[in-house]
Amino acid sequence: VNDMSLKDVIEQNGSPKIYKSVKCRHDEGLATTPKVNPTNCFESLCRIIAGQQLAGAAAQSIWIRLLETTKPQLSPQKILKLSEMGLEQNLQKPAGLSKAKAKSIVDLAQRFDSNVLQDSFLMSAPEEDVRRALLHVRGLG
């Protein structure tokens, strides 16, 4: 935590629950519903994008719809394939995403597919390097 005014509050009370449910570091002790929790950094970031500015129940609903839309697995390749077939009718509407969120998830998928972002980097690089890399992702930066 870089904001010293929040450091003591976070140390006393822990991180907000929303951060615990979308952590990229995959702390298994935080599972809410095992079958819908992210299993890698790509999924975690997709969940963050999909749930931005939504109440908890709405965010969870969109997340589940995104998983259903991308069955059998949410992956960069699956997102790119759906986007190529038609972003609006194959990703945005079935998953209940706004156009901006759908485009953000496609941008994220392109970055993972081209190895600009990788789980190994996101899970082990210094926080400042990760933050800098994520600032370039549409909808995150």
Side-chain angles (χ1 to χ4, degrees):
V1 175
N2 292 332
D3 186 343
M4 294 307 289
S5 64
L6 291 177
K7 183 177 181 190
D8 292 335
V9 173
I10 292 171
E11 285 178 355
Q12 286 179 342
N13 301 299
S15 295
K17 289 180 183 178
I18 185 66
Y19 294 124
K20 291 179 181 179
S21 67
V22 294
K23 274 182 111 175
C24 181
R25 307 292 172 147
H26 318 305
D27 183 350
E28 293 185 30
L30 301 174
T32 53
T33 308
K35 67 180 181 180
V36 296
N37 280 340
T39 60
N40 56 51
C41 291
F42 177 73
E43 289 183 359
S44 293
L45 291 168
C46 284
R47 184 175 181 175
I48 289 169
I49 292 169
Q52 285 176 339
Q53 301 179 335
L54 296 175
Q60 182 72 354
S61 175
I62 298 292
W63 170 241
I64 291 169
R65 287 178 63 182
L66 180 60
L67 292 176
E68 290 291 322
T69 301
T70 58
K71 275 188 174 180
Q73 181 183 0
L74 173 58
S75 68
Q77 297 76 23
K78 180 70 173 190
I79 293 292
L80 294 175
K81 182 178 180 184
L82 290 172
S83 175
E84 288 170 7
M85 294 169 37
L87 181 68
E88 186 176 355
Q89 68 268 23
N90 291 296
L91 179 62
Q92 180 187 337
K93 285 186 177 180
L97 297 166
S98 68
K99 188 173 188 176
K101 288 180 183 185
K103 287 183 174 183
S104 295
I105 290 173
V106 170
D107 181 54
L108 180 67
Q110 290 169 335
R111 292 174 189 278
F112 269 86
D113 190 57
S114 64
N115 291 319
V116 170
L117 291 175
Q118 300 174 8
D119 275 15
S120 58
F121 168 77
L122 294 172
M123 291 175 31
S124 63
E127 183 177 337
E128 191 56 39
D129 293 346
V130 170
R131 184 174 291 141
R132 197 172 312 120
L134 292 177
L135 284 174
H136 295 288
V137 178
R138 179 185 183 137
L140 291 178

